[in-house]
Amino acid sequence: SFDFTRYHTLDEIYAFLDSLAKENPGKVQVIVGGKTHEGRQIKGVKLTLGSSKSGIVLEGGIHAREWISPASILYIVNELLQNKNADVRQLAESHEWYIFPVVNPDGYVYTHTTNRLWRKTRKPYGLCYGSDPNRNWGYKWMSGGASNNPCSETYGGSSAFSDVETKSLSEYLTSISSKFNAYVSFHSYSQLLMFPYGHTTQHLDNYNDELQIANKAVQAISKRYGTKYKAGNVAETIYIASGSSVDWVKGTFHKPVTYTYELRDTGRHGFLLPADQIAPTALETLDSLVAMFKEAKARG
Ligand code: 0X9
Ligand code: ZN
């Protein structure tokens, strides 16, 4: 079985997703959310563990070097399938799950082969490589906190959706848009839980709901190991940033529950989080998802 005490290559992750589908027929289905510049698939799994049709999308690995994101998502998938306690079982069974642990596969492979701290995609733009795939989405594209220099870490791309990863994934999300109500994106690091938007500090109509739900989730995170998170909208909590996946989902489909996690830690190890923190990070994050969706349900 899959070893959750270390980080894995893309091939190992995709083989794990295939094996889950094979071992859980009728419950786990392999889905393809898009494709990459270098010709890879954006592979995911759809979990159908109960009869509910209310969908949740989990997105990981949009930034290549943030390895705790895919690792935590895989751990959470495993927990959702194992039904260990009543709260997790309830969460698992009352939703349909569309889970993409690595939405920037070319970048992820590059962090294993060549440069551990690579962030972007791998499409050449002039003399440099990659757009920031969390600045390349087509909602308020290039309206702050993104660069028009292809050599920058936050390059927005030559146009909205100039990268095939964001374009193809956006088309997939559009095709399932009537099936999901929640979209959660996992990054690292900083221990933050944020909601849209990133281009403006202005509060959305459902700001209070999003903040209260986030606060419940943040309380739940701290219960298991005392890990402290801060909650708020993107622009006020981290910085102005435009063209992110979550902002596009919010701005396009107006889904009620749209969050971005910045997982562990606060900088001691940063992107190089030791693998022995995969399990605790995933478990506290799953606790927070339980609390998040309980509170979201209570608020209608
Ligand atoms: O800058 C980013 O894309 C994210 N931080 S990171 O250090 N992981 O690169 C924050 C993105 C949050 N933005 C929105 N959801 N709008
Ligand atoms: Zn990130």
Side-chain angles (χ1 to χ4, degrees):
S1 69
F2 203 66
D3 180 1
F4 288 103
T5 66
R6 59 181 191 86
Y7 292 106
H8 291 270
T9 65
L10 185 75
D11 287 344
E12 288 168 344
I13 291 171
Y14 280 7
F16 176 57
L17 299 180
D18 291 338
S19 73
L20 287 178
K22 214 170 182 181
E23 287 158 18
N24 300 277
K27 292 183 176 171
V28 181
Q29 190 191 332
V30 171
I31 51 179
V32 177
K35 57 186 186 214
T36 77
H37 176 74
E38 293 175 351
R40 297 183 176 89
Q41 292 182 325
I42 298 174
K43 206 184 252 201
V45 281
K46 180 178 172 188
L47 311 185
T48 315
L49 306 172
S51 54
S52 167
K53 290 276 171 279
S54 164
I56 298 175
V57 179
L58 303 185
E59 168 222 281
I62 200 167
H63 288 144
R65 64 192 172 196
E66 298 166 9
W67 286 8
I68 191 59
S69 161
S72 298
I73 290 181
L74 294 173
Y75 197 103
I76 288 169
V77 168
N78 204 47
E79 292 289 307
L80 292 173
L81 287 170
Q82 289 196 1
N83 278 339
K84 277 188 200 143
N85 73 58
D87 279 339
V88 173
R89 184 175 318 141
Q90 159 73 19
L91 175 70
E93 291 178 354
S94 56
H95 299 278
E96 236 175 2
W97 300 79
Y98 299 85
I99 302 176
F100 295 101
V102 188
V103 302
N104 176 10
D106 293 355
Y108 189 74
V109 167
Y110 196 71
T111 63
H112 283 262
T113 60
T114 312
N115 178 355
R116 175 65 184 83
L117 290 179
W118 191 255
R119 167 180 169 97
K120 302 190 288 177
T121 63
R122 289 297 301 161
K123 177 182 174 178
Y125 284 98
L127 294 177
C128 287
Y129 284 83
S131 81
D132 179 343
N134 213 34
R135 298 291 183 282
N136 190 236
W137 294 67
Y139 179 76
K140 306 281 177 190
W141 180 74
M142 288 301 285
S143 55
S147 170
N148 54 22
N149 173 2
C151 302
S152 162
E153 289 279 67
T154 55
Y155 178 48
S158 51
S159 61
F161 295 126
S162 59
D163 269 22
V164 69
E165 290 83 356
T166 56
K167 182 168 169 48
S168 57
L169 186 56
S170 74
E171 287 166 359
Y172 178 84
L173 293 172
T174 300
S175 78
I176 61 160
S177 63
S178 65
K179 299 185 178 159
F180 72 92
N181 288 311
Y183 191 96
V184 187
S185 168
F186 295 91
H187 289 251
S188 72
Y189 56 91
S190 287
Q191 295 175 197
L192 305 170
L193 181 53
M194 302 177 289
F195 44 91
Y197 286 118
H199 68 282
T200 172
T201 55
Q202 206 176 314
H203 292 180
L204 286 177
D205 290 347
N206 72 338
Y207 177 85
N208 277 316
D209 282 332
E210 293 251 46
L211 182 62
Q212 296 307 330
I213 293 167
N215 281 335
K216 293 277 183 186
V218 161
Q219 280 166 26
I221 290 187
S222 72
K223 281 212 180 106
R224 195 182 278 262
Y225 306 109
T227 311
K228 288 198 170 48
Y229 270 61
K230 212 167 112 36
N233 70 15
V234 169
E236 291 176 317
T237 306
I238 183 164
Y239 38 58
I240 294 273
S242 58
S244 73
S245 57
V246 171
D247 283 9
W248 179 82
V249 167
K250 188 69 174 181
T252 308
F253 305 121
H254 311 285
K255 299 299 182 187
V257 179
T258 50
Y259 287 98
T260 302
Y261 281 80
E262 294 286 351
L263 297 169
R264 291 190 190 190
D265 55 13
T266 55
R268 175 164 179 222
H269 302 287
F271 301 119
L272 308 180
L273 193 71
D276 63 5
Q277 292 196 43
I278 296 170
T281 301
L283 286 169
E284 70 193 7
T285 303
L286 181 54
D287 291 341
S288 77
L289 290 174
V290 167
M292 174 183 285
F293 287 101
K294 254 190 203 166
E295 186 65 17
K297 193 178 174 200
R299 289 172 176 270

